[in-house]
Structures are given as C-alpha cells and as structure tokens.
Amino acid sequence: MAEPIPYLDLPAQLRPLRNEIDAAIARTIDNCSFCLGPDVAQFERDFARFCGADHCVGFNSGTSALHVALLLLGVGAGDEVITTPMTFVATSWAISYVGAKPVYVDIEDATFNLDPKLVERAITKKTRAIMPVHLYGQPFDLDPILAICRKHKLPLVEDAAQAHGATYRGKTVGTFGEISCFSFYPGKNLGACGEGGALVTNNAAFAARARSLREHGSTVRYYHDEVGFNYRMEGIQGAVLGIKLKHLDRWTRERRRVARLYAELLADTPLQLPQPADYAESVWHLYVVRHARRDDLKKHLEANGVGCALHYPLPLHLQKCYAHLGYRPGAFPVSEKAARECLSLPIYAELTDAQIQRVVSVIRDFFRK
Ligand SMILES: Cc1ncc(COP(=O)(O)O)c(C=O)c1O
C-alpha cells in the first residue's frame, strides 16, 4: 500500500522549526519563566497586533478564555446565551461554567455556521450574550448578527478557536465582538506544544480583569480581589507560539492551496463540498465534505491509508451532558443532518499536491464501486 496520509501531520510542521523551538524552550527553562513571563507577554502583544486588536490575554486553554469572557460580561446563574449546537463542546462549557443555559439556534446548511435568520426568535428576557463560532475557519455572517446585537443591546462573543487570521469583509475576525477567544490546542492553525488559549478585546477594563481572573483574582501577589482561577498560559507555550506565529500567514496560504485543489479535483464527485461564503475568507482549519454514505466512505478512506475525522458526530443539544436541557432529536434538523454527513479530509500546510491527488483518487474509487 502507498504511504499512509495522516489526518494531521504535526511532526511535519515541527521538523523545520525544531531547532528554534528547542532553543526557545531551553531559554524558558534557563530563565525559569514557567508561568506567564516575558515570552507570554511578547506573544500577547504580537497576537493582538495580528488580530488588529488592542489587547490579548494569554490563557492555559481556549475553554478557560471562553469561561472568563462570559464572567467579564456578567453572565451568571439563570441567564441564557445563544450559541450553535454544531461546535466543539467547549463553546457550551463556558456557558455552563457560569451557571447559565445554552440556548441553541440551528446552522445554515451551506456554511455550518449559526443561521442569523433564526437568532432573533431565540432571544428572551434572560438572554445575556450571543456566542457563535467561526466554524472550521470560516467566519460566520457577522453583519446580520451584529445588527441583532445592537438592536437588543446584547454583547457578541466570537468563538474564534478555529479561525486565527480569517477575515470577514476584509477585516480579521476577533475584533468584531466585545470579546473573542482563541484556542492554541496543538492541532489548531496556530498550535502550542501543549494547551493554550487567548482572550482578545479592545476593552482595556475587560483585559485588565481577565489578567486578574486568570491569576487567582489577583494583581498584587497574595492579595485577591475576587474569586479567580489558575488559568495562566505557560511560559514555554508563549515562547513556542511566538515562533509559530511568524509562520502562520504562510501556513494559511498553503491551507488555501489545499482547499483550492480539493475543490477543483472533487468538483465532479457526488460529495457536497464546502461552500465558501463571499463575505469571508476562510483559514481552512478543516476541509469538511458531506455525503449520505459518510460512514462507509470513512471506512474506505481509512482502509486505504487516508486519515479522516468527524467534526462533529453528535450536535450538542443531543449530548448526554445536556439531556437536562430537554432538546429532542429533530430540534435542529440542519445541524443533525450535517452531523450525519460531515467528513473532515486531511488539510495542513505540508500536505503535498501528490498527497491531495491520492486522497481524491481513493474517494473516486469509493464512488466507482
Ligand atoms: C470551536 C472551539 N471552541 C473552543 C475550543 C476550546 O479550546 P481548547 O481546547 O483550547 O480549550 C475549541 C478547541 O478545542 C474549539 O474548536
């Protein structure tokens, strides 16, 4: 059998950076700047600039950043936050952590993102925020959602965990809402060598309180202004992310090459391909195709050495952990169908044209049978 094509090839990404990363980690160890420290502070400045935002606060994960985002907005017990059921569960965790209730709204079939047409009818007196996700690296339709936020005086939190550098009408995501949150989980477009996340905002007071909340509710050591958390970014992760950020634009260009080639080579297959919206430029965190026989196709790809994955096989309103919310199958038909049909193909900067051609030929084989 030909060489397997992994779903994700982090070793290939790390290989050319290895000396630089080793030196940065060694420096962090020599300085003993393990928790926050100068490399984290420098990365925060660099990532804020990358997003075009005033402030970036480094966290130990995207989940922690989302949690703190809702605390900053004063969301708490008995409140509701509107979000999407078609996302990684952490988007909803943040809502649950503050004691609020996730209120799901279905997605658009074409983009997998929150359907702006359905948002307004989900707003109640208890709604405190709207928190959509730029899923798979493609920005959600910000203009109509921002208009709803303005009309109902609700803050917008962008879950940008999958969308570092994606643009909406030419402007980088992460600066449209009151607060945006990013993940630097290793497989993300910008990934740490471990866990990491960031909260990005133009609001100086939010940034200052986020810095305190991530560090035990404290700005002066051993004096605690409020109940806080240990959500600090590790110094080593700040150092690694600073190195990797310099390569992100190039990696994004390469992801776009992969997406373009898939689109061209798969155009005449029975697969439903991603449909990029004209208002957005995706950073292609994932390349998600759709087909009714998804499970068989997945088995076929894996049997032929092509890695693939499901994002996500079960929407959040049907997860066991959210059974108490009382949603039934059929509540969000577009999300449920997407969950049944979605299949993520390999996409990363290092994927060669030859590898892409092989993925496509294995897919063609499946439909010939
Ligand atoms: C959409 C989305 N939100 C939130 C998160 C949580 O980020 P983390 O894994 O860094 O906690 C992730 C990634 O894992 C994600 O994909």
Side-chain angles (χ1 to χ4, degrees):
M1 194 163 80
E3 187 78 358
I5 300 173
Y7 171 66
L8 183 66
D9 195 354
L10 280 182
Q13 185 201 62
L14 284 168
R15 234 172 273 126
L17 306 180
R18 188 56 200 268
N19 290 342
E20 219 184 331
I21 287 180
D22 283 353
I25 292 176
R27 195 184 61 235
T28 313
I29 292 172
D30 289 343
N31 297 340
C32 292
S33 49
F34 297 120
C35 309
L36 300 175
D39 287 322
V40 171
Q42 185 60 48
F43 172 69
E44 289 176 335
R45 286 190 290 276
D46 293 345
F47 195 67
R49 196 173 320 114
F50 175 82
C51 296
D54 289 345
H55 309 279
C56 166
V57 182
F59 276 81
N60 62 347
S61 74
T63 308
S64 310
L66 286 166
H67 178 194
V68 165
L70 292 185
L71 289 173
L72 295 175
L73 294 170
V75 181
D79 294 339
E80 295 177 356
V81 177
I82 292 176
T83 188
T84 164
M86 192 61 176
T87 176
F88 181 61
V89 70
T91 316
S92 270
W93 285 158
I95 303 169
S96 301
Y97 291 170
V98 298
K101 179 176 151 191
V103 171
Y104 298 115
V105 165
D106 213 349
I107 59 169
E108 297 172 317
D109 190 68
T111 64
F112 293 85
N113 275 327
L114 196 70
D115 187 341
K117 294 188 296 303
L118 305 177
V119 169
E120 216 164 0
R121 71 183 72 151
I123 295 175
T124 72
K125 284 201 196 67
K126 294 179 180 171
T127 309
R128 291 289 172 272
I130 301 182
M131 186 158 71
V133 180
H134 301 300
L135 199 71
Y136 310 151
Q138 162 144 278
F140 59 83
D141 197 356
L142 276 143
D143 282 344
I145 291 181
L146 282 168
I148 294 167
C149 287
R150 274 192 295 272
K151 182 172 161 195
H152 295 270
K153 297 192 171 43
L154 290 169
L156 177 72
V157 179
E158 295 171 63
D159 182 339
Q162 304 186 355
H164 320 70
T167 56
Y168 179 81
R169 301 197 190 283
K171 188 180 162 203
T172 308
V173 301
T175 52
F176 290 87
E178 269 69 9
I179 302 172
S180 302
C181 297
F182 291 84
S183 165
F184 306 120
Y185 182 75
K188 293 290 193 268
N189 289 26
L190 178 62
C193 287
E195 304 277 352
L199 183 151
V200 166
T201 182
N202 285 332
N203 182 318
F206 282 169
R209 190 164 165 229
R211 287 181 194 285
S212 165
L213 281 169
R214 77 173 168 184
E215 192 153 32
H216 300 287
S218 156
T219 48
V220 179
R221 206 158 197 197
Y222 304 128
Y223 290 85
H224 307 278
D225 304 326
E226 60 178 322
V227 173
F229 306 88
N230 180 357
Y231 280 175
R232 291 177 292 232
M233 179 181 275
E234 291 187 346
I236 284 176
Q237 305 312 337
V240 168
L241 288 165
I243 291 167
K244 283 191 166 192
L245 181 58
K246 290 185 261 166
H247 300 274
L248 184 56
D249 285 338
R250 179 172 55 81
W251 289 337
T252 298
R253 282 196 297 278
E254 292 300 322
R255 285 176 179 274
R256 289 180 174 147
R257 165 188 60 83
V258 176
R260 270 197 308 273
L261 194 52
Y262 273 139
E264 189 187 312
L265 300 178
L266 292 169
D268 62 345
T269 66
L271 291 179
Q272 183 178 324
L273 302 184
Q275 298 170 55
D278 57 2
Y279 49 69
E281 223 188 328
S282 176
V283 289
W284 296 102
H285 175 54
L286 302 179
Y287 192 87
V288 180
V289 298
R290 292 175 59 160
H291 195 268
R293 289 173 56 213
R294 185 272 313 276
D295 290 337
D296 294 336
L297 175 57
K298 181 167 185 287
K299 278 191 208 125
H300 174 83
L301 284 164
E302 285 165 350
N304 285 280
V306 176
C308 51
L310 305 184
H311 299 93
Y312 296 89
L314 188 65
L316 300 186
H317 66 289
L318 300 178
Q319 296 282 351
K320 195 168 160 192
C321 61
Y322 284 125
H324 61 278
L325 297 177
Y327 290 107
R328 295 268 167 266
F332 302 112
V334 185
S335 297
E336 290 168 35
K337 186 161 184 278
R340 282 193 301 274
E341 296 183 348
C342 65
L343 183 66
S344 309
L345 301 181
I347 186 163
Y348 35 90
E350 300 75 19
L351 197 67
T352 64
D353 288 3
Q355 287 176 307
I356 297 166
Q357 278 152 4
R358 199 164 84 74
V359 174
V360 171
S361 90
V362 173
I363 291 173
R364 286 187 179 284
D365 255 12
F366 174 79
F367 287 114
R368 260 197 298 270
K369 279 186 187 160

